Amino acid sequence: IAVSVDNALHHQDLTHDRDRLRLLLEVSESIASHRDLGELFRDLAQRLPHIVPFDYINVVLHEPARQVMRLWFLVTSQPSTISPGLELPVDESPGGLVWKTQQPLTVDDVTQERRFPKLMSMLRENGVQSFCALPLTTAQRRLGSMGFGSLQKRTYQEAELTFMQQVAKQVAVAVDNALHAESALSAQQQ
């Protein structure tokens, strides 16, 4: 019986790993096929919950001129009072901490988190119970962070974080490309 259970668990692990690899390929394809980042994030919000449960996904970028972290994209499963354009000082933002340290940040229970009081209040107001933020970084520069949030209290497992970091690395390249294209268009218009 023990061998059968072990084989079944091993098969489940392989199936889960295969699903994650397939999804990473889908993320790459999605990035390649979407020129509009809004469409890309809506697509990711549809694909990713099959592997990593979440109720919102966002991108927060560092704005060096004002030393703030700016919410660039937000896709939620429910209406939210938080909207793109929200700016917080680097030191008052989970994304700022992630941007500075280049380390993932997980908050398993928003009600217990004492850092970032302004944002925690907003998250609680919108029913967010837990979240994680991951660095959005390319070989050339640190951009900001990508966040996943849940309306449930949950602990993000190491395997989930590893997978989400792989997704964030791919998304960082797409975001950086979009920022470069925006700069080039702006320069061309000037």
Side-chain angles (χ1 to χ4, degrees), residues 107-147:
V107 173
D108 300 331
D109 184 352
V110 167
T111 63
Q112 299 301 309
E113 180 60 50
R114 298 293 169 239
R115 299 172 289 181
F116 327 114
K118 182 177 179 181
L119 183 62
M120 292 305 109
S121 174
M122 295 170 84
L123 292 177
R124 284 190 299 273
E125 177 183 300
N126 284 280
V128 176
Q129 299 289 315
S130 57
F131 69 90
C132 70
L134 305 139
L136 270 184
T137 303
T138 66
Q140 286 75 37
R141 62 183 172 158
R142 297 175 179 191
L143 299 167
S145 74
M146 181 174 180

Side-chain angles (χ1 to χ4, degrees), residues 53-56 105-111 120 123 127-133 147-156:
F54 63 87
D55 297 296
Y56 79 79
L105 170 69
T106 61
V107 173
D108 300 331
D109 184 352
V110 167
T111 63
M120 292 305 109
L123 292 177
V128 176
Q129 299 289 315
S130 57
F131 69 90
C132 70
F148 297 86
S150 177
L151 300 177
Q152 309 295 316
K153 288 182 186 172
R154 68 184 310 272
T155 302
Y156 289 92

Side-chain angles (χ1 to χ4, degrees), residues 43-102:
D43 187 34
L44 291 177
Q46 295 296 313
R47 294 175 191 256
L48 295 177
H50 301 291
I51 301 292
V52 179
F54 63 87
D55 297 296
Y56 79 79
I57 184 172
N58 71 23
V59 170
V60 176
L61 296 180
H62 178 247
E63 297 278 342
R66 294 188 317 283
Q67 281 302 306
V68 297
M69 300 303 290
R70 184 171 200 269
L71 180 59
W72 211 46
F73 279 108
L74 175 67
V75 178
T76 64
S77 62
Q78 298 182 353
S80 174
T81 61
I82 301 171
S83 58
L86 172 69
E87 292 182 349
L88 292 170
V90 172
D91 291 333
E92 295 175 27
S93 163
L97 179 62
V98 169
W99 173 77
K100 284 169 61 172
T101 65
Q102 292 296 289

Side-chain angles (χ1 to χ4, degrees), residues 150-165:
S150 177
L151 300 177
Q152 309 295 316
K153 288 182 186 172
R154 68 184 310 272
T155 302
Y156 289 92
Q157 304 299 316
E158 187 64 36
E160 291 173 320
L161 286 174
T162 300
F163 172 74
M164 290 187 292
Q165 284 179 295

